[in-house]
Amino acid sequence: MEINETENGEKRSLNFIEQIVENDLKEGITGGRIQTRFPPEPNGYLHIGHAKAICMDFGIAERYNGICNLRFDDTNPAKEDVEYVDSIKEDIQWLGFKWANIYYASDYFQQLYDLAIQFIKEGKAYVDEQSSEEIAKQKGTPTTPGVESPYRNRPIEENLDLFIRMNKGEFPDGSMVLRAKIDMANSNMHFRDPIMYRIITSHPHHKTGTTWKVYPMYDFAHGQSDYFEGVTHSLCTLEFVVHRPLYDYYLDQFAGADYRPKQREFNRLNLTYTVMSKRKLLQLVKEGLVSGWDDPRMPTICGLRRRGYTPESIKAFIDKIGYTKYEALNDISLLESAAREDLKPRATRVCTILDPIKLIIDNYPEGKKEILTTDNNPDNPEAGVREIPFGREIYIERGDFREEADKNFYRLSPGGREVRLKSAYIIQATGCEKDANGNITTVHATYDPNTKSGTEGGNKKVKSTINWIDVDNSKEAELRLYDRLFVCENPSAEEGDFRDLLNPNSLTVVPQARVETFVANAKPGDKFQFLKTGYFNTDKDSTPEHPIFNLTVSLKESKK
Ligand code: ATP
Ligand code: MG
């Protein structure tokens, strides 16, 4: 078995596409040349499924000294937009890949149109005036042949005249199509006179404006575009297996004998507790069910970025799940654990207080401040240490104090146990103050000056260590805690409306947490581990006046 190196230098065996490519190189089929493309339709933002295809397309080119081009499959102006073109470029670059060239399927509209004319002249295509419903009805089933269109045997001149006039805008959208004349009884449904061209006049094209009134279908554009560009390996997902014979058929009608692009298919990425169809993701955005394409709950690349995922964690996850010839549903917890592994050595450890309550250390001198030190990241010695001020007034978690506590409560309680303040001293609670409603407003405690961490007395063992922040070193912050977007594992497989399966608790806002001042001043994208809570990413809208942090992933996998 041949061996390959992954991102992080681990050895792994070749995937089956790599084996095909190595074999083709060995047999000299491509003249030693490797060229791939990533062909998104600019009708939405990229999601993590696309990242899997990107890693394959760009990865193969990198590994075998080839090139990978970015080609926008922009053949349906009704759904496409430059906003999507721009976001797709940004996301690919962020993932760390470089295309050799940018192409658009629309670059080939003239060549494809000329080819369609050639098909008509050779008697291989005809204009059908039936409605799409009619055409669909005549398709037959895999076991019963389809019905031939009454327009199938139109004279060539008539087809030519009609097609040219279709493109002049003489006929309304949907009134006629150009179909390939192949075989209405073929066991492959895609051979039953597939549609080559349809009329779209209702929307101008984002690049070609109103020049064209007819637009090629995917099958008539994709293989040809691959051929025009010199693609050697046209890699796509398994649903295109059934299209492959048609891909080859169209090429055989016009391509020279010198070379053929090869279509090869691998399994899609499907993830639990989310949806991956662009149509559904667009619906969530349009209906305001999420805050936008980059809502941190979305499986989009920009959503994952805002959530706190790094390109490395996404690539490590894709490496782990691998490429096969069988459809599967991958567990989202694999993606989450890739985030944990990646963030562990990167993310600065900080104390944050989600539900703050003030604690006063009555025997600590008023006005005094000490500078203590703490490790920035015990999992990464290079991260060094930082200084944290400590004084008489601090914030702790409300839940770390109980006025009445039994012996199983190891944290603060008047007259109760000794508790260590992380990286600081051991304290003991003495009492608390309450407001008129009986809510605790302030906790009182005393500290033992001989128990400072890092000194001999710091070795004294107590049952629990709690988080704290000096009042003067703290700022208010908004935390956004995310849970899964859907309540069921595979929302796409359920009957009924997928929107009814949205998790109503997928976002919990903690409006008044307390963070250290330097954390409040973090730049968007800065990553932290909030001790005892999880990994957090500084949101793109975060400012020192209103800091916002997104929960990337909890510290441990939840058991639910
Ligand atoms: P949708 O059907 O949701 O619109 P799509 O497959 O049509 O998605 P494209 O923009 O056409 O999206 O996809 C570009 C490339 O990304 C194609 O090669 C496609 O096979 C691949 N791709 C799309 N979704 C996935 C996925 N979930 N896993 C792996 N590859 C994918
Ligand atoms: Mg598509």
Side-chain angles (χ1 to χ4, degrees):
M1 173 65 58
E2 292 176 78
I3 300 293
N4 212 332
E5 260 190 38
T6 65
E7 278 276 316
N8 45 22
E10 281 169 22
K11 303 279 183 209
R12 66 159 172 81
S13 50
L14 293 182
N15 65 48
F16 77 99
I17 300 277
E18 290 165 340
Q19 287 175 21
I20 289 171
V21 169
E22 294 208 352
N23 208 47
D24 291 347
L25 281 171
K26 217 173 283 164
E27 290 180 9
I29 289 173
T30 64
R33 205 170 59 77
I34 296 297
Q35 186 173 325
T36 60
R37 84 287 167 266
F38 173 62
E41 184 177 358
N43 63 350
Y45 281 62
L46 296 183
H47 52 58
I48 184 151
H50 292 112
K52 178 173 177 176
I54 288 170
C55 288
M56 171 58 88
D57 295 327
F58 286 89
I60 288 282
E62 269 173 18
R63 222 160 280 143
Y64 299 103
N65 294 318
I67 59 168
C68 179
N69 295 315
L70 170 58
R71 184 202 311 142
F72 289 102
D73 179 18
D74 56 348
T75 52
N76 185 357
K79 291 196 181 147
E80 296 154 8
D81 200 273
V82 275
E83 174 195 349
Y84 302 132
V85 169
D86 295 339
S87 75
I88 288 168
K89 290 190 212 165
E90 184 187 348
D91 289 347
I92 296 172
Q93 285 172 318
W94 178 75
L95 283 171
F97 294 106
K98 287 195 185 72
W99 51 81
N101 305 285
I102 296 186
Y103 297 123
Y104 293 82
S106 56
D107 295 341
Y108 314 120
F109 279 171
Q110 185 65 51
Q111 274 162 287
L112 292 167
Y113 180 83
D114 293 345
L115 191 58
I117 298 280
Q118 181 191 321
F119 269 53
I120 296 170
K121 286 182 176 165
E122 291 170 355
K124 294 174 184 163
Y126 61 95
V127 172
D128 195 335
E129 287 175 55
Q130 300 181 100
S131 68
S132 54
E133 293 77 26
E134 206 75 40
I135 292 174
K137 248 187 268 162
Q138 294 165 352
K139 269 260 148 143
T141 69
T143 47
T144 55
V147 175
E148 293 189 356
S149 162
Y151 299 98
R152 196 171 197 262
N153 296 311
R154 250 188 166 127
I156 286 174
E157 280 65 40
E158 208 175 301
N159 285 318
L160 208 50
D161 172 63
L162 283 173
F163 185 58
I164 290 168
R165 287 167 57 202
M166 273 166 73
N167 193 41
K168 284 190 177 147
E170 289 187 23
F171 309 113
D173 294 16
S175 60
M176 49 185 81
V177 292
L178 183 70
R179 292 178 75 179
K181 190 171 175 179
I182 309 180
D183 178 7
M184 286 306 289
N186 201 292
S187 60
N188 182 333
M189 302 286 285
H190 293 279
F191 274 88
R192 295 186 183 177
D193 291 8
I195 296 172
M196 293 164 60
Y197 267 89
R198 74 271 210 216
I199 303 170
I200 303 176
T201 55
S202 51
H203 293 77
H205 188 277
H206 72 105
K207 275 191 77 102
T208 59
T210 54
T211 308
W212 299 94
K213 311 287 186 286
V214 291
Y215 291 90
M217 299 298 287
Y218 172 90
D219 284 314
F220 192 69
H222 205 90
Q224 282 84 323
S225 305
D226 285 342
Y227 181 79
F228 298 148
E229 287 169 10
V231 168
T232 58
H233 293 80
S234 184
L235 308 171
C236 59
T237 36
L238 285 171
E239 69 272 24
F240 292 102
V241 168
V242 287
H243 294 248
R244 198 207 285 185
L246 185 58
Y247 177 102
D248 291 334
Y249 168 88
Y250 281 141
L251 289 175
D252 287 341
Q253 305 314 305
F254 75 97
D258 55 329
Y259 129 88
R260 285 284 191 286
K262 273 188 172 188
Q263 180 185 303
R264 291 292 177 266
E265 311 85 5
F266 55 86
N267 64 328
R268 287 179 86 83
L269 171 60
N270 301 299
L271 269 189
T272 53
Y273 298 101
T274 191
V275 294
M276 212 77 93
S277 138
K278 278 191 276 189
R279 184 178 56 76
K280 288 182 180 156
L281 295 175
L282 178 65
Q283 212 173 343
L284 295 179
V285 173
K286 284 235 161 108
E287 294 174 11
L289 298 167
V290 293
S291 67
W293 285 98
D294 68 350
D295 185 303
R297 292 167 291 183
M298 291 279 272
T300 49
I301 304 293
C302 54
L304 291 168
R305 175 163 66 228
R306 190 169 175 191
R307 179 88 175 244
Y309 277 81
T310 63
E312 291 76 15
S313 59
I314 293 172
K315 288 190 261 189
F317 163 71
I318 286 164
D319 249 335
K320 185 159 276 173
I321 58 170
Y323 296 86
T324 73
K325 295 180 200 176
Y326 312 97
E327 289 300 359
L329 179 63
N330 291 107
D331 193 334
I332 200 165
S333 63
L334 282 175
L335 178 64
E336 294 165 348
S337 75
R340 285 188 197 99
E341 264 176 54
D342 172 69
L343 292 169
K344 201 172 174 213
R346 279 184 204 270
T348 304
R349 308 295 199 262
V350 294
C351 283
T352 46
I353 308 296
L354 273 64
D355 185 8
I357 186 166
K358 194 183 273 185
L359 180 145
I360 299 174
I361 304 167
D362 290 306
N363 64 338
Y364 194 88
E366 252 174 270
K368 177 174 169 182
K369 282 283 175 214
E370 275 179 83
I371 302 298
L372 307 177
T373 56
T374 185
D375 280 332
N376 278 326
N377 188 343
D379 289 308
N380 178 5
E382 285 169 29
V385 295
R386 74 171 182 288
E387 299 186 328
I388 39 169
F390 178 80
R392 186 179 153 92
E393 297 195 4
I394 60 177
Y395 286 113
I396 62 162
E397 289 288 355
R398 186 171 288 275
D400 284 342
F401 174 79
R402 279 191 204 163
E403 196 178 9
E404 318 256 344
D406 59 35
K407 63 179 188 330
N408 295 322
F409 186 69
Y410 292 125
R411 286 161 288 162
L412 295 169
S413 175
R417 298 173 183 274
E418 293 190 311
V419 170
R420 177 167 293 282
L421 297 174
K422 175 150 175 56
S423 304
Y425 293 94
I426 289 177
I427 61 169
Q428 225 174 346
T430 52
C432 61
E433 295 171 36
K434 292 184 196 169
D435 64 15
N437 300 321
N439 298 317
I440 300 172
T441 54
T442 311
V443 174
H444 287 272
T446 54
Y447 87 121
D448 179 349
N450 299 317
T451 56
K452 186 169 167 179
S453 292
T455 67
E456 207 172 309
N459 295 329
K460 181 172 177 186
K461 289 278 172 281
V462 291
K463 286 265 190 206
S464 76
T465 299
I466 64 168
N467 288 340
W468 60 274
I469 304 179
D470 187 273
V471 168
D472 299 323
N473 178 40
S474 76
K475 277 198 169 179
E476 197 168 280
E478 176 179 333
L479 309 191
R480 296 178 182 166
L481 311 181
Y482 299 103
D483 198 352
R484 285 154 186 184
L485 188 51
F486 287 89
V487 289
C488 67
E489 273 207 338
N490 192 0
S492 305
E494 301 291 326
E495 303 216 341
D497 194 327
F498 78 107
R499 293 167 298 183
D500 296 339
L501 302 168
L502 281 165
N503 176 4
N505 304 314
S506 58
L507 168 62
T508 308
V509 176
V510 178
Q512 291 179 315
R514 283 272 154 183
V515 300
E516 284 180 58
T517 307
F518 94 99
V519 175
N521 291 334
K523 293 190 306 301
D526 284 352
K527 293 172 174 56
F528 298 96
Q529 186 196 100
F530 290 179
L531 290 164
K532 298 188 179 183
T533 309
Y535 291 100
F536 281 78
N537 187 40
T538 315
D539 190 68
K540 64 166 194 190
D541 295 334
S542 186
T543 61
E545 294 70 43
H546 184 75
I548 306 169
F549 300 93
N550 296 315
L551 175 66
T552 311
V553 67
S554 60
L555 293 183
K556 292 205 181 77
E557 195 173 330
S558 69
K559 286 183 200 72
K560 38 178 181 184

